[in-house]
């Protein structure tokens, strides 16, 4: 058995991971799809992909998504034939060592509530706590009708010129430490598959959102409004613009929303989004 620790995946490695993921999902009737890029990790040099091989066969995989220095989100798959042999434990120990070296204090395990194997693994790890659930919701282009009334906001694509404004808004809206979002913003600007937008009321910046162009549509993320401007109808207007832009690129819009974000969940549901997938996040502090 061999474990490979890398920060970038080749196309061949991605294909092997996707095939393994399909086998695992079929075995437990799950839907998870892991993010196979380090492009929005806060430090692209940190190894975040852990591949376990038996001879030339990929039998297990773990990814650590690192959008900030505050925590790493871990997802993992082990081929059904190789379970209960301590393989996940070895991958997990390798990932913890890397995170600890880079002063990342906390792990969030990402699991599906229907996954019995995940529950067994988490039980063995111990000292974990379910902190939230996240719902992936979708909306089809054929259901979209643009609202042209009461348009108060103007929007700008994020560029080098206004990236500082966007970074400051991101940190304010999502309560991030000062200076921690600038790498994320720069990665978005450089990416050919992503765009970011700022919404303005007259000259006052009030909200932001991001778009990731994926194979079967557009993923909306990082949607947020500054506290002073909440509950004034601007969220609906931002979403209307975001959906319009999304459907210029694809036929399906997707987004994630946390279980504790009741107002956002209610808005998306009213707009017509439906739940496709649920992921649970379990918190674990690295000693």
């Amino acid at each position: 058995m061999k474990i490979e620790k890398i920060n970038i995946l080749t196309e061949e490695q991605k294909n092997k991971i996707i095939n393994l993921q399909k086998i695992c999902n079929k075995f437990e009737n799950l839907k998870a799809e892991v993010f196979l890029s380090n492009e929005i990790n806060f430090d692209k040099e940190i190894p975040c992909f852990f591949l376990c091989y038996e001879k030339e066969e990929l039998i297990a995989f773990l990814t650590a998504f690192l959008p900030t220095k505050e925590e790493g989100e871990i997802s993992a798959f082990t081929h059904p034939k190789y379970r209960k042999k301590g393989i996940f434990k070895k991958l997990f120990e390798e990932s913890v060592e890397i995170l600890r070296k880079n002063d990342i204090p906390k792990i969030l395990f990402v699991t599906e509530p229907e996954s019995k194997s995940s529950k067994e693994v988490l039980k063995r790890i111990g000292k974990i706590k379910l902190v939230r659930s996240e719902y992936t919701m979708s909306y089809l282009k054929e259901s979209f009708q643009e609202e042209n009334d009461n348009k108060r906001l103007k929007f700008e694509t994020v560029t080098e010129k206004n990236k500082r404004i966007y970074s400051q808004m991101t940190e304010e809206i999502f309560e991030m430490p000062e200076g921690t979002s600038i790498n994320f913003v720069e990665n978005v600007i450089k990416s050919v598959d992503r765009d970011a937008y700022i919404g303005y009321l007259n000259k006052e910046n009030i909200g932001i959102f991001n778009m990731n162009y994926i194979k079967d549509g557009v993923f909306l993320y990082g949607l947020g409004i500054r506290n002073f401007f909440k509950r004034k109808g601007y969220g609906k207007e931002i979403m209307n613009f975001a959906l319009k832009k999304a459907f210029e690129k694809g036929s399906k819009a997707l987004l994630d929303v946390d279980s504790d974000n009741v107002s956002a969940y209610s808005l998306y549901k009213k707009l017509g989004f439906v739940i496709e997938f649920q992921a649970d996040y379990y918190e674990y502090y690295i000693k």
Side-chain angles (χ1 to χ4, degrees), residues 51-225:
L51 291 76
C52 182
Y53 293 91
E54 184 66 38
K55 295 181 180 179
E56 297 302 317
E57 180 186 6
L58 180 68
I59 62 172
F61 167 76
L62 183 148
T63 177
F65 175 48
L66 307 171
T68 73
K69 200 176 177 64
E70 304 305 308
E71 60 193 19
E73 296 181 12
I74 282 183
S75 300
F77 297 86
T78 302
H79 194 291
K81 290 193 304 183
Y82 294 92
R83 292 181 181 180
K84 298 184 179 180
K85 298 180 184 295
I87 294 172
F88 170 79
K89 182 180 179 182
K90 291 179 181 177
L91 290 175
F92 177 58
E93 287 172 349
E94 294 279 1
S95 65
V96 167
E97 183 181 352
I98 296 287
L99 298 184
R100 187 180 287 120
K101 284 181 179 178
N102 287 278
D103 298 320
I104 299 168
K106 184 171 68 174
I107 286 172
L108 289 176
F109 291 101
V110 186
T111 71
E112 291 184 62
E114 295 83 4
S115 176
K116 293 180 180 179
S117 61
S118 296
K119 290 177 181 178
E120 291 174 3
V121 168
L122 293 177
K123 187 176 181 179
R124 289 197 296 270
I125 291 173
K127 295 185 179 179
I128 61 167
K129 180 176 69 173
L130 177 64
V131 289
R132 61 185 172 89
S133 295
E134 188 173 76
Y135 306 112
T136 298
M137 306 182 77
S138 65
Y139 189 173
L140 298 178
K141 183 177 182 178
E142 61 199 44
S143 304
F144 179 63
Q145 291 184 336
E146 183 183 359
E147 295 188 10
N148 293 309
D149 298 333
N150 199 30
K151 287 189 176 181
R152 297 164 291 177
L153 305 182
K154 302 293 182 183
F155 294 88
E156 281 186 2
T157 306
V158 176
T159 64
E160 289 291 331
K161 183 179 177 181
N162 59 8
K163 70 179 183 182
R164 290 288 176 186
I165 295 173
Y166 177 88
S167 178
Q168 290 167 0
M169 291 179 69
T170 299
E171 291 162 8
E172 176 187 339
I173 290 169
F174 298 108
E175 299 180 351
M176 298 167 61
E178 185 177 350
T180 56
S181 70
I182 191 65
N183 286 340
F184 169 80
V185 178
E186 290 175 347
N187 290 336
V188 171
I189 293 172
K190 293 173 185 176
S191 174
V192 297
D193 298 321
R194 298 176 186 272
D195 282 315
Y197 289 85
I198 301 173
Y200 292 89
L201 179 65
N202 300 320
K203 293 184 179 181
E204 188 79 37
N205 47 63
I206 71 162
I208 55 175
F209 72 91
N210 299 265
M211 303 174 70
N212 179 21
Y213 309 115
I214 56 178
K215 186 176 180 180
D216 60 345
V218 178
F219 204 97
L220 304 174
Y221 68 101
L223 295 97
I225 298 174

Side-chain angles (χ1 to χ4, degrees), residues 1-10 13 47-53 58 60-62 91 94:
M1 186 172 63
K2 178 183 71 174
I3 293 178
E4 190 174 5
K5 299 175 284 187
I6 50 180
N7 65 329
I8 298 175
L9 295 168
T10 66
Q13 288 167 333
C48 55
F49 303 115
F50 303 80
L51 291 76
C52 182
Y53 293 91
L58 180 68
F61 167 76
L62 183 148
L91 290 175
E94 294 279 1

Side-chain angles (χ1 to χ4, degrees), residues 2-57:
K2 178 183 71 174
I3 293 178
E4 190 174 5
K5 299 175 284 187
I6 50 180
N7 65 329
I8 298 175
L9 295 168
T10 66
E11 287 304 312
E12 181 181 0
Q13 288 167 333
K14 287 180 182 179
N15 290 333
K16 286 185 177 182
I17 290 167
I18 290 169
N19 288 335
L20 174 60
Q21 187 174 253
K22 287 178 180 177
I23 292 169
C24 295
N25 282 348
K26 185 177 181 181
F27 184 74
E28 290 194 80
N29 193 28
L30 304 177
K31 298 179 180 179
E33 293 184 8
V34 293
F35 186 51
L36 300 179
S37 172
N38 71 349
E39 64 180 289
I40 54 176
N41 285 0
F42 77 90
D43 185 340
K44 296 187 183 64
E45 299 303 314
I46 298 176
C48 55
F49 303 115
F50 303 80
L51 291 76
C52 182
Y53 293 91
E54 184 66 38
K55 295 181 180 179
E56 297 302 317
E57 180 186 6

